C-alpha cells in the first residue's frame, strides 16, 4: 500500500495519466484528511477551482490542491512530534494519567478527522494549514467559549455523527466538530441545551 509521499509524487508526475494523478490525490486523503475524506475533498476542490466530480481536472489544479494538503499535513505532523515529546516528558516526571486533550488526540492520530465536518459540503473556507494552526493554538491554551477555527459562538450538540466521538458540539458557522477540550464546561453545557431546544 502506497504512503502519502509516494502518492503525492504520482500526483505531481506529468508522466502519469490524468486519471491516476486524480486518483492518487484522492488516495492521499486516506492518509490525511482533517475534515474527513469527503469534506476534505470538497474543500480542496473548491479552493483549487475544480468540481469534485470532474474527471479531467487541469493538472495544475490537482497540484495546487496537493500543495494545500501537504502544507496542512506538515503543520499537523509537527504538532504530533511536539505532542509525543510532551507526553514522554510527562511520563518521565511521573504524570501517567493522560488529560482530556490526550484522550481527544488519541482519536485523531495521523490527522484524520482532526476538525471533523459531518456534512461534507459545510467546512471552513480558510486554507487547511491555517485551520489546523488555529485548532492547535486552542488546544495549547485555556478552554474558551467559541469555535477555535472561526470564533463562531453558535455551537449545537449533535448525535449520530459519522465519526468518533459520535456526539459533540458542532459549530453551525464553519461545520467542524469542536474538540471538547478546547471548550469550557459552560460552553459544553450551552451546546447541549441548544440541542435539547432544537429537538424539543
Amino acid at each position: 500500500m502506497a504512503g502519502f509521499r509516494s502518492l503525492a509524487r504520482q500526483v505531481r508526475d506529468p508522466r502519469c495519466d490524468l486519471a491516476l494523478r486524480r486518483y492518487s490525490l484522492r488516495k492521499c486523503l486516506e492518509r490525511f484528511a482533517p475534515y474527513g475524506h469527503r469534506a476534505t475533498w470538497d474543500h480542496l476542490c473548491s479552493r483549487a477551482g475544480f468540481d469534485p466530480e470532474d474527471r479531467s481536472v487541469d493538472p495544475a489544479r490537482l497540484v495546487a490542491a496537493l500543495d494545500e494538503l501537504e502544507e496542512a499535513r506538515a503543520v499537523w505532523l509537527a504538532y504530533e512530534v511536539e505532542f509525543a515529546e510532551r507526553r514522554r516528558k510527562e511520563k518521565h516526571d511521573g504524570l501517567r494519567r493522560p488529560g482530556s486533550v490526550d484522550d481527544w488526540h488519541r482519536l485523531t492520530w495521523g490527522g484524520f478527522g482532526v476538525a471533523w465536518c459531518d456534512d461534507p459540503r459545510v467546512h471552513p473556507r480558510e486554507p487547511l494549514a491555517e485551520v489546523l494552526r488555529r485548532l492547535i493554538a486552542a488546544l495549547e491554551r485555556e478552554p474558551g467559549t467559541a469555535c477555535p477555527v472561526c470564533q463562531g459562538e453558535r455551537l449545537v450538540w449533535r448525535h449520530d455523527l459519522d465519526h468518533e466521538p459520535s456526539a459533540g458540539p458542532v459549530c453551525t458557522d464553519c461545520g467542524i466538530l469542536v474538540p471538547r477540550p478546547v471548550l469550557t464546561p459552560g460552553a459544553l453545557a450551552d451546546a447541549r441545551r441548544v440541542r435539547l431546544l432544537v429537538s424539543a
Side-chain angles (χ1 to χ4, degrees):
M1 182 184 286
F4 185 95
R5 287 182 296 190
S6 173
L7 291 165
R9 278 194 297 275
Q10 288 179 341
V11 175
R12 286 200 167 86
D13 190 344
R15 294 168 301 175
C16 293
D17 72 29
L18 193 53
L20 176 61
R21 294 174 75 178
R22 182 185 181 279
Y23 173 79
S24 297
L25 180 60
R26 290 294 300 257
K27 292 295 280 183
C28 283
L29 301 184
E30 292 179 10
R31 311 301 184 278
F32 180 73
Y35 302 153
H37 191 281
R38 291 171 53 216
T40 305
W41 178 249
D42 190 78
H43 170 86
L44 292 173
C45 292
S46 64
R47 297 249 326 140
F50 61 93
D51 188 273
E53 299 302 321
D54 189 352
R55 299 284 188 243
S56 56
V57 182
D58 175 357
R61 293 182 190 273
L62 286 176
V63 171
L66 177 63
D67 287 344
E68 179 171 346
L69 188 65
E70 285 180 319
E71 182 184 1
R73 184 171 179 263
V75 168
W76 185 252
L77 291 177
Y79 169 73
E80 285 193 336
V81 167
E82 290 172 15
F83 178 88
E85 184 56 39
R86 177 182 60 81
R87 280 301 293 144
R88 266 194 298 281
K89 184 178 180 325
E90 287 173 350
K91 286 178 182 176
H92 179 266
D93 294 344
L95 181 63
R96 297 282 175 189
R97 186 174 181 167
S100 62
V101 171
D102 302 317
D103 291 338
W104 171 83
H105 189 265
R106 204 170 19 261
L107 298 172
T108 60
W109 189 258
F112 186 83
V114 189
W116 180 261
C117 297
D118 215 49
D119 182 341
R121 295 172 311 262
V122 181
H123 44 74
R125 290 192 172 96
E126 296 81 7
L128 282 171
E130 178 58 27
V131 168
L132 293 182
R133 284 186 196 99
R134 291 177 188 178
L135 189 62
I136 291 166
L139 289 165
E140 295 173 344
R141 65 176 178 256
E142 291 298 310
T145 59
C147 171
V149 171
C150 71
Q151 297 307 306
E153 295 187 352
R154 298 182 315 146
L155 306 177
V156 177
W157 199 267
R158 297 260 165 87
H159 286 278
D160 300 323
L161 298 173
D162 200 15
H163 185 60
E164 185 60 40
S166 62
V170 173
C171 176
T172 59
D173 294 322
C174 72
I176 74 159
L177 171 62
V178 179
R180 293 181 201 182
V182 307
L183 296 172
T184 64
L188 289 169
D190 288 346
R192 284 187 177 99
R193 260 193 302 283
V194 171
R195 185 228 173 243
L196 292 174
L197 292 173
V198 168
S199 62

